[in-house]
Amino acid sequence: MNRRWRSPLRIALALLFVAFITLPFVMIVLEAFGTGWFGMRLLPAGWTLKWFGWAFATVDLGTVMWNTVVIALIATMASIALAIPAAWMFARYALPLRGVLIGLVLFPRMIPEITFALGVAKIFYAFHLTNTRLGIGLSHVILAAPFAVLVLISPFEGIDSRLLEAGSVLGCNTPQLWRRVILPLALPGVIAAALFSFLASYNDFVLTLMVYGPNTVTLPVQTYLSIGNGYTSVAAAISLLLLIPSLVFLMGLMRMVEPEKLLGGLKGA
Amino acid sequence: MSGSTLEIIGLRKSWGRLAVLQGIGLSVPGGQFVSLLGPSGCGKTTLLRLITGSLAPDAGRVLVDGADVTEMATHRRNMGMVFQNFALFPHLTVAENVAFPLHVRKIPAQAREAQVRDALAMVHLEALEARYPRELSGGQQQRVGLARAIVFRPTILLLDEPLSNLDAALREEMRIEISQVTRRLGITAVYVTHDQREALALSDSIALMNRGRIEQFGVPEDLYLRPANAFVARFIGYTNAVAVTVRPGSARIDGGEAVLHGIDDRGILGPGIAFFHPGDIALAPPPEANAAAHDDAVVARVEELAFMGDHFEYVVEDASGRRFKANVPIGGTVFERGSEVSVVLPAGKAVLVPRGAEDAETP
């Protein structure tokens, strides 16, 4: 083949791939903003915001969104609180069967969610945790914590032990060492772990479906319910609204962290 | 101000079956600068970490100002430490690094800022207080490390090979800085190094360590002029060794007729080793050409010579395979490779040590 054509061909392939990946998303956007989009039409006949209006009119979207965010924050905090000591142990100590133990931590993510969702549901029924935000948030820890542990291991491994020795010789007790040395140095990793945890909970559908109740409908569940009611355009509008808190959360985190300190943390690693 | 006293009694530490420290005893008066000198693996860094409490000893005590701190947590010992790799906190600025020990001690802001300013002034870094460690040169980073280690007026300052990561020119400058700061503060300092010149230049006293033991503890002149044994002599910088048999006032070089007359026998009688500095050994034309042969000379052949600017560095070897290094000032006779010379060993410059069983083969 002519060398001249290789580069345009590569670009075309790349574009095709990106188009393939984003096509469903494009469909959702068209569905949410379009009217009269039937059959084999390439584009909707007209454009409208009414599906968003319907979404707000038929569903208590404020509550649904609040539920989703609160549950995701509970899941994030609990996951990080669990993942930090676990990842530290895996990263800094010579554990027997380390590989096997890490494998077990990841186990919930390797089996179909529906399998253990049933198990979680049984426990939740027993403890009357279904239909509470706290309960659903805690159930999401099973989804979020394995990722958080995995993400935190390598930043923890990267901390120079002499910095810890310096901290403790210079007067830090263990909590001070965590607050002033370890966590600042691992900050990029902690943020990444928090993001993964938040999104794992925020986007979860299968497990939530098993444990949700009338007071704890989340956005993914609501999207599903709206599709079930036949309102595909409303469901599309809701699924777009699903995106907003994730974006706000992401940008908020970026602002909270001074990029320079992030770099320092990375450099120290 | 006088620093705290440090006393180490019978410290032992093993890693599995490897005994790293085999009963170390050391007494450092307040305000003294003492070096732990020795080859890598001699246990000097382990000893330092037992002093800070980063490691726990198998046996023995560590006393600061007479108080037993062996069981005390590291962060309560109030010791300062300077690290070989600087170990500055990369997420903190220079000023924040120096303020770190004050922060964890909850010193009020006003006092803290004043102390940070004083410490930075002491190491001439006031201008760089807002920089991050990665924006500093190695020498500057180590000055920050020094300021951070002294800002809270620790009982004892520990320095773990602080010059090893610096290049040669900076090393000298930093060495002077360390000497000035510690003496100005009158702080007790323990300095770990494998470089005998650093130890000699900085220390009030030196503990020369080998295989988990202290071979000799004394003032630098003592180690240099009166080494306790062959290991100390070699480590402190004597490169030429000859096995001798010592009689009162003289020593006969083994395997030959040469005798070192008027040697300081140091009360050693019998088998010994005589050490010489390369600079103290002279080379002369061989005995045939020089009728009045020195009877303290050894005949040898020139193996190597290198021009070093102000002197020639010779390596010569005698018939029995004994090698000598001689630094000969320029301006005299130059002996070519392969030529015969007589090696003049000045008895007055010889340093005698007893020859133990483990030294039998080495000279």
Side-chain angles (χ1 to χ4, degrees):
Chain A
M1 192 194 295
N2 193 327
R3 186 174 289 270
R4 204 150 58 90
W5 292 103
R6 279 194 197 167
S7 164
L9 196 71
R10 279 192 199 127
I11 292 169
L13 276 172
L15 285 177
L16 206 66
F17 180 72
V18 171
F20 176 73
I21 294 292
T22 52
L23 188 64
F25 183 73
V26 173
M27 299 293 280
I28 294 290
V29 172
L30 294 177
E31 182 79 46
F33 289 101
T35 57
W37 195 30
F38 304 114
M40 295 300 290
R41 284 189 68 107
L42 186 63
L43 287 174
W47 303 101
T48 178
L49 287 172
K50 72 174 174 193
W51 306 124
F52 288 88
W54 280 39
F56 280 99
T58 56
V59 178
D60 185 359
L61 266 185
T63 305
V64 169
M65 220 177 265
W66 178 245
N67 284 341
T68 316
V69 171
V70 168
I71 287 167
L73 286 176
I74 291 169
T76 304
M77 285 187 285
S79 298
I80 293 294
L82 274 178
I84 285 176
W88 184 257
M89 194 177 64
F90 285 128
R92 309 291 301 195
Y93 296 92
L95 296 174
L97 302 174
R98 181 176 182 268
V100 175
L101 289 174
I102 291 177
L104 282 174
V105 168
L106 287 176
F107 184 65
R109 303 310 327 234
M110 293 188 221
I111 60 174
E113 202 178 330
I114 192 77
T115 319
F116 67 83
L118 200 63
V120 171
K122 255 190 103 76
I123 298 170
F124 271 51
Y125 296 141
F127 289 95
H128 303 288
L129 281 167
T130 48
N131 200 20
T132 63
R133 293 196 196 98
L134 180 69
I136 299 178
L138 292 180
S139 78
H140 286 179
V141 171
I142 301 173
L143 301 169
F147 278 149
V149 171
L150 207 62
V151 167
L152 279 172
I153 286 177
S154 112
F156 280 165
E157 276 176 340
I159 293 177
D160 183 346
S161 58
R162 282 164 299 194
L163 289 178
L164 305 180
E165 197 181 337
S168 104
V169 173
L170 294 172
C172 286
N173 57 26
T174 306
Q176 285 173 317
L177 206 58
W178 275 95
R179 194 166 75 76
R180 295 187 173 276
V181 182
I182 299 170
L183 290 178
L185 287 174
L187 190 63
V190 174
I191 289 172
L195 265 174
F196 275 120
S197 303
F198 186 90
L199 293 176
S201 163
Y202 188 84
N203 295 330
D204 180 67
F205 171 62
V206 175
L207 180 54
T208 316
L209 191 66
M210 304 296 285
V211 289
Y212 90 100
N215 303 324
T216 53
V217 177
T218 65
L219 275 168
V221 171
Q222 184 57 56
T223 310
Y224 169 74
L225 294 175
S226 296
I227 296 170
N229 293 339
Y231 299 115
T232 47
S233 286
V234 175
I238 293 172
S239 63
L240 283 186
L241 292 171
L242 250 175
L243 283 173
I244 295 171
S246 332
L247 293 177
V248 170
F249 184 74
L250 193 77
M251 288 192 305
L253 268 177
M254 300 286 256
R255 191 166 295 182
M256 248 165 50
V257 181
E258 293 167 45
E260 209 164 49
K261 294 204 167 176
L262 233 137
L263 199 68
L266 286 169
K267 276 219 147 181
Chain B
M1 183 169 69
S2 74
S4 302
T5 61
L6 170 67
E7 200 146 354
I8 290 161
I9 306 162
L11 273 191
R12 289 176 182 281
K13 180 75 188 173
S14 301
W15 297 118
R17 297 207 343 250
L18 179 71
V20 182
L21 293 179
Q22 321 191 32
I24 296 281
L26 195 65
S27 185
V28 184
Q32 288 264 301
F33 194 113
V34 59
S35 287
L36 306 177
L37 173 65
S40 62
C42 73
K44 55 193 193 296
T45 297
T46 302
L47 178 53
L48 202 69
R49 302 183 73 211
L50 291 175
I51 297 172
T52 64
S54 302
L55 288 176
D58 300 337
R61 318 259 83 194
V62 176
L63 278 70
V64 175
D65 284 331
D68 190 335
V69 300
T70 320
E71 307 290 328
M72 191 187 272
T74 300
H75 69 273
R76 293 186 198 283
R77 295 194 185 191
N78 210 31
M79 293 177 178
M81 184 152 173
V82 178
F83 292 82
Q84 179 175 353
N85 74 336
F86 318 136
L88 298 180
F89 301 116
H91 59 293
L92 302 178
T93 63
V94 167
E96 288 165 347
N97 263 284
V98 177
F100 185 93
L102 304 176
H103 268 293
V104 298
R105 287 172 174 74
K106 306 199 162 52
I107 306 288
Q110 213 170 357
R112 190 176 68 220
E113 280 160 28
Q115 280 170 268
V116 168
R117 226 173 300 125
D118 286 353
L120 284 174
M122 207 172 280
V123 296
H124 317 295
L125 279 181
E126 305 97 313
L128 302 179
E129 60 167 33
R131 300 266 187 97
Y132 282 89
R134 62 178 174 278
E135 299 167 334
L136 303 181
S137 71
Q140 290 167 335
Q141 289 192 47
Q142 197 52 295
R143 300 221 299 268
V144 177
L146 182 59
R148 185 181 66 174
I150 53 136
V151 68
F152 57 103
R153 297 296 144 93
T155 53
I156 291 164
L157 176 65
L158 304 151
L159 304 106
D160 187 7
E161 307 231 6
L163 308 185
S164 300
N165 276 16
L166 304 178
D167 51 44
L170 273 173
R171 211 172 290 168
E172 168 116 7
E173 192 183 305
M174 189 68 207
R175 197 190 73 209
I176 294 166
E177 191 93 45
I178 289 172
S179 176
Q180 284 178 341
V181 168
T182 51
R183 277 166 229 285
R184 195 177 319 155
L185 293 174
I187 198 171
T188 308
V190 179
Y191 185 97
V192 163
T193 182
H194 62 264
D195 184 329
Q196 89 281 3
R197 285 162 307 171
E198 278 175 22
L200 291 170
L202 278 166
S203 314
D204 294 316
S205 49
I206 298 175
L208 205 162
M209 295 179 65
N210 183 32
R211 293 186 194 157
R213 288 202 174 83
I214 294 179
E215 297 275 358
Q216 188 171 3
F217 180 59
V219 299
E221 291 83 351
D222 243 7
L223 269 76
Y224 197 77
L225 298 174
R226 288 172 290 280
N229 54 43
F231 178 85
V232 175
R234 280 208 184 81
F235 203 85
I236 215 78
Y238 291 93
T239 40
N240 296 302
V242 280
V244 294
T245 304
V246 187
R247 298 193 189 89
S250 74
R252 190 175 56 79
I253 294 174
D254 289 2
E257 297 304 311
V259 175
L260 302 165
H261 291 289
I263 199 167
D264 175 8
D265 61 44
R266 294 179 69 198
I268 300 160
L269 296 180
I273 304 172
F275 282 95
F276 297 90
H277 267 300
D280 291 336
I281 292 184
L283 299 181
E288 305 90 67
N290 184 7
H294 306 262
D295 71 350
D296 53 359
V298 173
V299 178
R301 184 179 296 277
V302 176
E303 294 288 319
E304 278 301 327
L305 87 154
F307 177 61
M308 305 301 286
D310 59 343
H311 67 270
F312 283 99
E313 197 178 275
Y314 285 92
V315 176
V316 302
E317 194 176 305
D318 74 0
S320 64
R322 206 158 34 195
R323 285 187 156 217
F324 297 93
K325 234 188 192 172
N327 295 344
V328 179
I330 55 167
T333 320
V334 175
F335 302 96
E336 297 302 329
R337 273 188 196 80
S339 60
E340 284 226 317
V341 291
S342 71
V343 182
V344 183
L345 303 171
K349 297 288 176 78
V351 169
L352 265 185
V353 301
R355 176 151 42 116
E358 75 266 30
D359 303 316
E361 322 238 315
T362 37

